[in-house]
C-alpha cells in the first residue's frame, strides 16, 4: 500500500475533550448523583470508538467525579455529609499552608495576591446581595483557587483542583447555604484584610471561621436533602 500523508491520532487529546464535556455535564447538574454512564452510548453520541471514552471516564474516576463499581459500571459520585466534611477539611488544611507561604513571601507577591483576591471579593458582594447564586459559587471557588495558586506550589495546586471539582459536585446538590446576605462577602473580606496586614493569627482565625460556617451550613442542608 502506498504511504499516505497521515498524522497520528492523539487519543490523549480526544479523551481529554470527552472528559471535559462529561465533567461539565456533571458540574452543571445535567448528570445527577448515582446516575450510570454507558461507554457505548457516549461513544455512539460522539461518533468515536470506546477507547478514548474509557480513558475519559477513568480520568474522571481519578478526579473523584465518577466512581467505578465492579460488575456494575461507572456512576456519578454521590457526595455524602461525611464526604463534604473530608473535602472541606482537606481544603482548609491546604489553604492554611498556602496562606502562610504568601504571608512569608516578599512584598510584591503579597501585594499582588491581595489585589487579586480583593478584586474577587468586590464581585462577591453585589452577586450575593442580588441572589445570583451560581455566580457567587464560581467567585467563591475562584477566590480559594487563587489563594492556593499564589503559593507557587504546583503539586498543591493539582491536589487542590481535585478538591474543587468535588466541592462543585457537592454544591450542585444543595440550595443556597449561606444564612444571610453579605455573610460570604464579610468572611472573604476578613481573609483579605488579614493577608494585607501580614497578620498570620488573624488569617488563621478568618479562614477557620469561614470553613466552620461553610461546613456547618452545607452539612445541615445535605442532611436534609
Amino acid at each position: 500500500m502506498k504511504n499516505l500523508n497521515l498524522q497520528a491520532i492523539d487519543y490523549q487529546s480526544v479523551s481529554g475533550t470527552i472528559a471535559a464535556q462529561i465533567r461539565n455535564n456533571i458540574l452543571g447538574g445535567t448528570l445527577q448523583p448515582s446516575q450510570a454512564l454507558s461507554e457505548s452510548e457516549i461513544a455512539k453520541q460522539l461518533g468515536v470508538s470506546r477507547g478514548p471514552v474509557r480513558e475519559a471516564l477513568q480520568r474522571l474516576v481519578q478526579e473523584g467525579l465518577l466512581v467505578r463499581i465492579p460488575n456494575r459500571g461507572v456512576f456519578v459520585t454521590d457526595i455524602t455529609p461525611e464526604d463534604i466534611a473530608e473535602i472541606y477539611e482537606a481544603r482548609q488544611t491546604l489553604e492554611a499552608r498556602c496562606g502562610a507561604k504568601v504571608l512569608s513571601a516578599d512584598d510584591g507577591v503579597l501585594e499582588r495576591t491581595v489585589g487579586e483576591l480583593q478584586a474577587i471579593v468586590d464581585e462577591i458582594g453585589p452577586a450575593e446581595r442580588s441572589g445570583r447564586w451560581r455566580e457567587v459559587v464560581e467567585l467563591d471557588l475562584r477566590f480559594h483557587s487563587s489563594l492556593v495558586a499564589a503559593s507557587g506550589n504546583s503539586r498543591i495546586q493539582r491536589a487542590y483542583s481535585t478538591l474543587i471539582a468535588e466541592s462543585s459536585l457537592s454544591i450542585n446538590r444543595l440550595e443556597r447555604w449561606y444564612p444571610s446576605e453579605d455573610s460570604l462577602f464579610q468572611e472573604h473580606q476578613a481573609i483579605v484584610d488579614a493577608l494585607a496586614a501580614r497578620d498570620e493569627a488573624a488569617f488563621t482565625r478568618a479562614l477557620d471561621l469561614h470553613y466552620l460556617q461553610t461546613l456547618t451550613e452545607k452539612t445541615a442542608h445535605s442532611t436534609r436533602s
Side-chain angles (χ1 to χ4, degrees), residues 17-113:
T17 301
I18 296 171
Q21 292 190 54
I22 297 173
R23 186 185 298 110
N24 289 339
N25 276 272
I26 293 172
L27 299 182
T30 302
L31 290 170
Q32 295 296 308
S34 299
Q35 185 171 339
L37 279 74
S38 167
E39 280 184 15
S40 60
E41 286 297 321
I42 294 172
K44 182 178 179 181
Q45 285 191 40
L46 294 175
V48 299
S49 67
R50 294 177 63 170
V53 174
R54 187 176 302 112
E55 292 179 15
L57 296 181
Q58 183 57 35
R59 180 179 303 193
L60 296 175
V61 168
Q62 293 172 349
E63 291 181 12
L65 295 179
L66 298 177
V67 59
R68 188 180 300 276
I69 301 177
N71 302 319
R72 290 188 57 194
V74 178
F75 301 83
V76 178
T77 300
D78 188 5
I79 299 293
T80 67
E82 291 75 21
D83 292 326
I84 292 173
E86 289 187 1
I87 292 166
Y88 278 82
E89 180 182 7
R91 281 184 55 182
Q92 182 177 359
T93 299
L94 292 179
E95 287 181 39
R97 174 57 184 159
C98 291
K101 287 196 67 175
V102 171
L103 285 166
S104 64
D106 60 46
D107 289 343
V109 171
L110 181 60
E111 290 174 4
R112 183 169 60 252
T113 302

Side-chain angles (χ1 to χ4, degrees), residues 15 23 58 64 74 81 99 116 134 161 174 177 182 209 213 220:
S15 65
R23 186 185 298 110
Q58 183 57 35
V74 178
E116 291 174 356
R134 180 55 56 183
S161 66
L174 308 177
W177 36 267
D182 271 345
L209 178 62
Q213 178 66 36

Side-chain angles (χ1 to χ4, degrees), residues 103 190-191 193-195 197-208:
L103 285 166
I191 293 172
D193 289 344
L195 288 172
R198 271 198 198 273
D199 190 333
E200 185 166 358
F203 169 78
T204 300
R205 286 195 302 272
L207 189 67
D208 288 351

